[in-house]
Amino acid sequence: MSIAELRQQLKLGKFSARELVDERLSRIGKVDKKLNAFLEITAERARADANRIDEARASGESLPPLAGVPIAIKDNLCTKGVTTTCSSRMLEHFVPPYESTVTQKLWKSGAVLLGKTNLDEFAMGSSTETSAFGTTSNPWDITKVPGGSSGGSAAAVASGECLASLGSDTGGSIRQPASFCGVVGLKPTYGRVSRWGLIAFASSLDQVGPFTTNVADTAEILQVIAGGDPLDSTSLKEPVPDYSACLDNPLSGLRVGLIKECFDQEGLSSEVKESTLAAADLIQSLGVELVDVSCPHFNDGIATYYVIAPSEASANLARYDGVKYGYRSESSNDLSSMTTRSRTEGFGAEVKRRILIGTYALSAGYVDAYYKKAQKVRTLIRGDFDNAFNQVDILLTPTAPTTAFSVGSHSEDPVSMYLSDLLTIPANLAGLPAISLPCGFDKSGLPIGLQLIANVLDEQRLLQMAHQYEQAASVMKQKPAGQYIP
Ligand code: GLN
């Protein structure tokens, strides 16, 4: 069911908001013991919200656009009065006294919170395995990871536990799990969506975005969460266009660029490559011209990101000192050892690794060699995209080099895990909007994701192309059986 259908049915009285919520809660009850997509289920609040919507409808009030839409929220977005852990022991008992801007906007639009979803600790990871509260399973095959870091949000939508969810994307954390779980995931332009209340990982890269089962729903959620925010000075004040209105505009005359460097990738699976190239052919048949483009610094993205993101993380995570909020070790009696112990006991291994890398890259003797150099390469990557967008409207790549990998298969080798984000990271470094949507299945029946990247603030064209590809390809109509796929 799409959001538009839900709205229509609710209006016609085919079902109530309460029935909708109860149905999803019972789905969660059935499948989440296996999936572990949720860290907390806010059933009571969801039922009360749904009742209020039904009462409003009964009394003839007009309902807001997302009235009754059951939504899950990644547990690094602050929800007032609802525990927000970042999947870390450090914030295990943190109950935010304020609401993030994006969630505030969702509740104002009538969406109903079903619960908070699992992630890699502090959003650092590509498999949801670094969560302090257990890994999430891929609903297609529970021996596989759902991707990460927003694995819980992706798995919750894919398994029908909720209609839509929010995630955050610093280097691919919305798009890669969307690809692994066979759903749509959008990372908006940096600044299109407010980061107020998103617990910071790497502030120059972090962006919030939706997971949905179809592109039209993505347009609806983006419509609600986009826009400038006085509480986030990096948010963009540009007016928010009507994203749903442009979905069916003709594609003819548009140009799509295939980034050469992506398809020459050593680690790119041949099934993923074939499937995305077939998607490009289908897009061509819709009246679009395909062009080969080169982004010579594209493959430097990973090295650049793994200096910049940990550097920013080391600064952002310095606030967890055991003093004001968060975990405090009780086993010490002086300030310095209390801080050390709190951080030692509160953070997991991957988070510590990032803090160490970032602290090193920013240290006096190395800041020029690492951090400043990485910033220069970042500029080159952005320059490549600027050149490409002089020739084409949209860029096309696979979302991830492979389909979902087995639980545990990369945990001992961080670099092999990092390579999972090879194709998604450049859009973050350049601040560009990018979407992942299903384009096929591999031999084991696991979904493959197609990534489309647009120029800054061109979400309209991104959604338009994604929507029309989705309609033409009907990928989900040919879906194989998945263990926990409705
Ligand atoms: N997987 C990448 C990392 O570990 C990206 C994470 C993200 O986008 N939050 O940093």
Side-chain angles (χ1 to χ4, degrees), residues 336-350:
S336 161
S337 75
M338 186 277 286
T339 300
T340 306
R341 279 175 188 272
S342 297
R343 291 169 71 79
T344 303
E345 294 161 22
F347 289 136
E350 184 60 29

Side-chain angles (χ1 to χ4, degrees), residues 5 10 29 43 77 126 133 158 178 217 232-233 271-272 286 341 363 368 378 409 424 483:
E5 280 160 3
L10 205 58
L77 281 159
S126 310
F133 308 117
D217 284 2
D232 173 4
S233 63
E271 286 179 281
V272 169
L286 303 174
R341 279 175 188 272
S363 59
D368 288 337
R378 183 176 189 173
S409 61
T424 46
Q483 283 176 306

Side-chain angles (χ1 to χ4, degrees), residues 74 76 120 122-127 148-150 168-176 201 205-206 305-306 309-310 350 354 417-418 420-421 424-425 428:
K74 186 176 182 180
N76 62 351
D120 282 296
F122 280 99
M124 297 171 188
S126 310
S127 64
S149 64
S150 318
S168 65
D169 190 314
T170 306
S173 277
I174 292 174
R175 289 159 289 156
Q176 184 255 22
F201 164 11
L205 301 159
D206 296 341
Y305 173 88
Y306 276 99
E350 184 60 29
R354 306 283 178 115
M417 184 78 85
Y418 298 171
S420 190
D421 302 307
T424 46
I425 277 174
N428 297 80

